[in-house]
Amino acid sequence: MKVVYPGSFDPITLGHIDIIKRIAKKFDEVIILVANNEAKKTQFSVDQRIEFIEETLKECDVQGNIFVKKHNGLLVDFVRENNADFIIRGLRRANDFDIEYDMARLNKHIAGVETLMVAADPKFTHIASSYVKEIAKFGGDISEMVSTCVANKLKKHFNL
Ligand code: ADP
């Protein structure tokens, strides 16, 4: 079976990587789908975010049945065009659930596409791309939250 793991990945964190590693063991193919949504302001361009993901996958030795793609239409259209079986979303805490539950029902309603939610590992539940950027901007230590290549790219980006 094939699954799509969509997100902003602005940038990819070790929390994302943990979900990717776990689902890659359970499904034949995992597509990491980087959202190219102009309404959502991101720090990094879609191509930079893809580069960060590809380098992180190499660094963490997570390869094989994992592909990275971008898309700027409806997620459900991508899922159907690629004959994927499920959307995967990670759940860190209760307020993730409220949003994800609505999205899952909407995607089921408009296109019959099912979503599977994966509980984050407690080691990573406090890690979010937004916190990582905020900490990095002021020179804080993000080395245990992102890959070394992402940590270096953030340092460079924020001129540290
Ligand atoms: P989005 O803007 O679509 O929420 P994110 O890149 O923030 O994009 O997250 C993509 C997916 O990864 C979401 O399902 C999110 O809940 C999940 N996720 C984010 N951070 C973590 C983490 N630390 N541990 C597990 N899952 C996470």
Side-chain angles (χ1 to χ4, degrees):
M1 284 216 233
K2 192 197 275 193
V3 295
V4 175
Y5 179 44
S8 309
F9 305 106
D10 186 41
I12 188 163
T13 69
L14 297 184
H16 295 127
I17 284 291
D18 182 60
I19 299 279
I20 294 163
K21 276 187 186 163
R22 289 161 58 198
I23 58 178
K25 284 190 202 140
K26 305 280 179 201
F27 295 98
D28 302 308
E29 190 176 328
V30 175
I31 302 175
I32 304 172
L33 188 65
V34 183
N36 194 6
N37 176 357
E38 280 172 19
K40 195 160 176 177
K41 233 20 253 85
T42 55
Q43 188 83 46
F44 299 102
S45 72
V46 69
D47 292 326
Q48 279 174 311
R49 287 178 276 144
I50 288 177
E51 189 188 310
F52 293 1
I53 295 171
E54 284 173 342
E55 287 187 22
T56 299
L57 292 174
K58 264 192 216 136
E59 184 184 315
C60 299
D61 205 17
V62 190
Q63 277 163 312
N65 56 344
I66 302 168
F67 302 88
V68 188
K69 295 193 179 169
K70 61 182 169 185
H71 177 67
N72 44 16
L74 278 179
L75 170 59
V76 289
D77 287 338
F78 179 91
V79 171
R80 289 192 298 195
E81 280 157 22
N82 287 272
N83 294 317
D85 297 285
F86 297 106
I87 294 170
I88 300 284
R89 295 288 288 174
L91 289 184
R92 284 163 293 184
R93 59 185 74 84
N95 61 341
D96 275 353
F97 176 81
D98 289 341
I99 300 162
E100 297 303 338
Y101 188 58
D102 275 350
M103 288 308 301
R105 288 196 303 186
L106 277 170
N107 288 329
K108 171 83 171 145
H109 186 150
I110 62 173
V113 172
E114 300 279 8
T115 300
L116 297 181
M117 298 185 200
V118 179
D121 187 295
K123 283 203 293 278
F124 302 109
T125 48
H126 57 294
I127 301 176
S129 303
S130 53
Y131 300 148
V132 164
K133 283 178 285 194
E134 198 61 20
I135 298 168
K137 194 155 79 181
F138 296 105
D141 182 9
I142 51 164
S143 61
E144 299 201 344
M145 300 186 191
V146 294
S147 60
T148 306
C149 63
V150 168
N152 289 337
K153 281 173 193 289
L154 286 179
K155 261 192 202 149
K156 210 165 147 200
H157 180 81
F158 292 116
N159 291 319
L160 296 167

